[in-house]
Amino acid sequence: MTEIREIDLEKWRRRVRQTKIIYPTGQVTRVIGLTVEARGVSARIGEVCDILVPGEPVPVKSEVVGFLDNNTLLMPLGELRGIYPGCAVVPNGRSFTIRVGQHLLGRIVDGLGKPIDWEEPDWNTGVEVSVDNSPPNPLYRKRITDVLATGVKAIDGLLTCGKGQRLGIFSGSGVGKSTLLGMIARHGNADVNVIALVGERGREVREFIERDLGEGLAKSVVVVATSDQPALVRLKGAFVASAIAEYFRDQGKDVLLMMDSVTRFAMAQREVGLAVGEPPATKGYTPSVFALLPRLMERSGMGVNGSITAYYTVLVEADDMNEPIADAVRGILDGHIVLSRGLAAKAHYPSIDILDSVSRLMPELATADHYSRAMSIKENIAVYREAEDLINIGAYVQGSNARIDKAIKCNDSINSFLKQDIKSEFSFEEVVAEMKGIIQ
């Protein structure tokens, strides 16, 4: 005899009540700058809507960014071209998502996660995920205990980075940020690289991929949102890169996330904030910028299975390391690497200012001998820098100060250690061994 199971009708009634069967269609009322105002739309913040433009084969994707009186404020995830008052606005009922998977390795995608390289895109591969994920529960994060070698002697030797650590690279324009990122991407021992080029010049994208990244592209995913893209696309580019990195981290891999640059990400959010009526604060940056920065950066780090080690570049204005974005980012991250224009002018590459840079986790990651030698090298650099003017004009008399005498003796070997050709690669063990011969 067949057993008759009782049907839980209340469960299905609850499902029906929660299902949004009809999506109210609104209309565009006006377009001001970057913002589209629509009336009659019932959608939440972050929801994606389609703006139907007669004569266009594809609707214009847009995202709800705010509300004003009875109007919904949207920003396009593409060009505003063709939109006029009266165009239908249809909510999709969900936030922005992308497809992630192993098929992304070696690929170049735009700020919305769509392939833009020469290969045919495969739209059905991978898993669909939201790009606006919350940072992991802090109690679920593992402690950082293992070193992530970068192949750059100055970083591995004196600013040792761990798997799951987040560091900033601070510098003005033209000092070598992209070149340093390329060295780390090629020589770092991470399983997967995810590189976000946010607000970069279009000319520099192919240069970075072919010249700086080179063979590192095979294990990388490059997300490109150039400076000509709408502000919302530049914002999404940073979140898309974070979502891709999170996917590979959850597969148990050690991921290296590099973002160039956080400053242009902040500028994009400033554009969005000002467009929806948010009041400007420090140097014109809106309060939402300083709320969004930790939301973005806290998504990287250690996970339950894998790790995301992150390098975020900060383009400082007029070489001011204390400008608002640099100051906010420095307080969020686990260390910072400062690139010096003065060192770059002397052809000292990578132009890392060791004294102004710090890795907050190096004391825990390095052995006692390694850390002691690193501190000795830093001390000698500091002593030499203080006495450099006297030395250069010949006013210092040899034997007057033992510490200065030692700094002069070691200066050439220290500079030789810190300089590195962009194609040179050194293992972490080789770097630590080389440090033993610098200061006796």
Side-chain angles (χ1 to χ4, degrees):
M1 184 176 180
T2 305
E3 182 181 354
I4 299 175
R5 296 183 179 179
E6 184 178 352
I7 300 175
D8 185 0
L9 294 177
E10 184 57 34
K11 170 186 173 183
W12 295 107
R13 291 192 188 102
R14 190 163 56 249
R15 289 277 184 91
V16 171
R17 285 195 298 267
Q18 292 174 350
T19 302
K20 197 173 182 180
I21 300 174
I22 299 175
Y23 296 106
T25 301
Q27 285 188 332
V28 174
T29 56
R30 63 176 179 172
V31 178
I32 301 178
L34 305 171
T35 312
V36 178
E37 291 189 16
R39 188 180 295 274
V41 180
S42 178
R44 63 185 186 276
I45 291 284
E47 187 170 336
V48 176
C49 300
D50 290 332
I51 301 177
L52 307 179
V53 182
E56 295 292 334
V58 180
V60 177
K61 296 285 183 183
S62 58
E63 184 175 295
V64 177
V65 293
F67 306 96
L68 180 64
D69 298 329
N70 293 322
N71 291 336
T72 300
L73 304 181
L74 305 105
M75 293 196 77
L77 294 166
E79 295 294 332
L80 278 169
R81 191 180 299 114
I83 297 176
Y84 61 88
C87 288
V89 181
V90 183
N92 288 346
R94 61 179 184 174
S95 59
F96 183 66
T97 60
I98 60 168
R99 284 195 169 271
V100 296
Q102 298 291 330
H103 67 285
L104 289 176
L105 289 176
R107 302 299 301 271
I108 304 161
V109 301
D110 64 12
L112 303 180
K114 298 176 183 177
I116 58 172
D117 52 15
W118 302 274
E119 297 181 30
E120 287 295 323
D122 187 351
W123 302 108
N124 299 318
T125 304
V127 181
E128 193 169 7
V129 298
S130 172
V131 300
D132 294 317
N133 299 319
S134 299
N137 186 322
L139 296 181
Y140 292 162
R141 293 181 185 266
K142 295 180 180 178
R143 291 188 61 184
I144 298 172
T145 56
D146 299 324
V147 172
L148 181 81
T150 63
V152 180
K153 292 193 291 183
I155 297 176
D156 290 346
L158 303 176
L159 303 166
T160 308
C161 174
K163 291 180 181 178
Q165 189 172 349
R166 301 162 304 159
L167 292 104
I169 299 176
F170 295 72
S171 84
S173 57
V175 187
K177 295 186 304 299
S178 297
T179 303
L180 180 58
L181 287 183
M183 292 174 68
I184 296 171
R186 285 197 311 274
H187 306 321
N189 61 358
D191 299 321
V192 177
N193 300 324
V194 180
I195 304 166
L197 304 178
V198 179
E200 285 294 299
R201 305 175 188 88
R203 172 187 62 81
E204 293 180 334
V205 171
R206 189 160 181 174
E207 285 183 8
F208 174 81
I209 292 170
E210 295 182 356
R211 182 193 63 194
D212 297 328
L213 185 57
E215 65 274 11
L217 179 62
K219 65 171 186 177
S220 303
V221 183
V222 182
V223 181
V224 177
T226 50
S227 57
D228 61 298
Q229 295 293 309
L232 204 58
V233 175
R234 282 176 271 144
L235 277 179
K236 291 300 179 189
F239 289 121
V240 163
S242 298
I244 293 171
E246 287 168 339
Y247 167 80
F248 286 107
R249 178 197 62 192
D250 294 342
Q251 303 298 311
K253 297 185 181 298
D254 293 320
V255 183
L256 186 57
L257 171 64
M258 289 171 281
M259 193 170 295
D260 187 15
S261 72
V262 171
T263 304
R264 294 191 175 107
F265 168 84
M267 289 178 176
Q269 177 58 27
R270 178 172 63 182
E271 289 181 44
V272 173
L274 293 175
V276 299
E278 196 178 354
T282 311
K283 284 198 173 181
Y285 288 104
T286 56
S288 63
V289 172
F290 301 100
L292 202 60
L293 285 173
R295 272 190 55 203
L296 171 70
M297 296 179 183
E298 285 292 341
R299 289 173 63 174
S300 55
M302 293 297 294
V304 177
N305 297 318
S307 67
I308 300 176
T309 307
Y311 285 87
Y312 298 98
T313 70
V314 180
L315 180 64
V316 296
E317 297 179 7
D319 291 346
D320 179 12
M321 297 299 167
N322 296 314
E323 58 96 23
I325 299 303
D327 208 32
V329 170
R330 192 162 44 240
I332 298 169
L333 300 178
D334 306 318
H336 50 271
I337 298 170
V338 176
L339 303 187
S340 165
R341 192 175 297 278
L343 289 175
K346 297 175 183 177
H348 185 294
Y349 291 105
S351 54
I352 298 173
D353 190 327
I354 296 299
L355 298 184
D356 287 342
S357 306
V358 66
S359 171
R360 293 176 180 162
L361 291 174
M362 182 177 176
E364 299 180 26
L365 297 170
T367 63
D369 181 62
H370 175 193
Y371 186 71
S372 173
R373 292 184 181 278
M375 292 303 101
S376 295
I377 292 173
K378 277 193 169 187
E379 182 184 358
N380 275 267
I381 295 173
V383 170
Y384 187 88
R385 188 171 296 181
E386 288 177 2
E388 189 169 11
D389 290 340
L390 293 175
I391 297 168
N392 289 339
I393 64 174
Y396 175 72
V397 179
Q398 189 78 17
S400 300
N401 186 305
R403 295 173 69 235
I404 297 178
D405 291 343
K406 183 179 179 182
I408 295 173
K409 179 183 176 182
C410 298
N411 184 60
D412 289 341
S413 58
I414 290 174
N415 285 332
S416 177
F417 172 77
L418 295 177
K419 289 181 180 180
Q420 183 175 340
D421 183 80
I422 61 173
K423 295 182 179 179
S424 301
E425 180 182 359
F426 298 87
S427 68
F428 185 75
E429 292 74 19
E430 289 173 336
V431 172
V432 175
E434 187 175 344
M435 290 174 65
K436 295 180 180 179
I438 296 175
I439 296 179
Q440 302 299 332

